[in-house]
Amino acid sequence: MVLDHPTNHVGEEMLKSKSIPLQDYKEYSHEEMQQRAADFYKLMKSRRSVRDFSPRPAPRQIIEDCLRAAGSAPNGANMQPWHFVVVSDPQVKSEIRKGAEIEERKFYEERASDEWKEALSSLETNWQKPFLEVAPYLIVIFSQSFGLTPEGERVTNYYVQESVGIATGMLITAVHSAGLVSLTHTPSPMGFLNDILKRPSNERPFLILVVGYPVEDVIVPDISRKPLKEIATFI
Ligand code: IYR
């Protein structure tokens, strides 16, 4: 049995923990619920991925709270199999840009199929990733394929991809709700991030979330979202 694990909190306390009353649950009237759901939809539909960032700094405290929100995500067996590395050091950002552009160049020039390039054409992306140096924060999200005790023993994590995906979605939502913009960036393969950020081998880069302010009068691709009847079925 694993006790006092530092990252998944499978400690004696946790194993003995009993159920407690649900804190802070509040029931709303149907009208209030409808208004809240509509307001939240309005907020979320205004989120767009932005590729042109301003170098303007953003307060670290905002990022900290957004990460706390992400860390509250539902996840497999409460192992919380994630680690977030927040990079604002210009030197490290520059190394990440170099590493990403090497992979992205290979992607655009060799690896991507014509079909994939066609699917991306409206986004007008290419191998150059200046935003990796310009934006004030790169949040590199790592998933922990398995946990490690201080003694180096492996601890199984469950539903790692699902858990980290949900946490990332919550992070993106928190960043948007706070009033900053973000871009999910996935250079592939991303192993270079373990080297640059000195992360252990039980961690895999999941994605880079680029966070900051947009440039003034920023433009974004003219895309639309599928209507509800296309994305949902009620039975
Ligand atoms: N990772 C590359 C390519 C790319 C892939 C998809 I799927 C996108 O939605 C956007 C880009 C890049 O970041 O340019």
Side-chain angles (χ1 to χ4, degrees), residues 117-134:
K117 277 190 270 204
E118 175 58 28
L120 290 179
S121 64
S122 65
L123 304 180
E124 295 177 329
T125 54
N126 61 39
W127 64 267
Q128 284 162 308
K129 305 295 172 190
F131 52 74
L132 292 174
E133 279 184 290
V134 176

Side-chain angles (χ1 to χ4, degrees), residues 42-113:
K42 190 169 170 213
L43 171 70
M44 292 315 293
K45 79 174 178 192
S46 72
R47 186 207 58 79
R48 291 299 309 270
S49 291
V50 159
R51 290 183 171 77
D52 296 306
F53 285 82
S54 155
R56 208 172 137 198
R60 172 177 159 153
Q61 210 189 325
I62 308 281
I63 306 298
E64 289 181 358
D65 269 341
C66 292
L67 290 169
R68 288 185 180 102
S72 75
N75 66 90
N78 197 32
M79 294 302 194
Q80 305 167 57
W82 41 62
H83 190 82
F84 304 91
V85 181
V86 183
V87 182
S88 54
D89 181 322
Q91 188 62 45
V92 182
K93 285 197 287 184
S94 161
E95 279 182 58
I96 291 177
R97 177 181 179 181
K98 280 197 195 87
E101 286 186 340
I102 289 169
E103 299 302 349
E104 291 293 90
R105 194 168 191 155
K106 282 190 246 168
F107 171 80
Y108 283 94
E109 291 177 0
E110 300 159 33
R111 279 205 292 263
S113 63

Side-chain angles (χ1 to χ4, degrees), residues 30-45:
H30 284 188
E31 292 72 31
E32 276 177 297
M33 265 203 281
Q34 208 154 22
Q35 192 59 51
R36 292 172 69 90
D39 287 348
F40 191 69
Y41 167 49
K42 190 169 170 213
L43 171 70
M44 292 315 293
K45 79 174 178 192

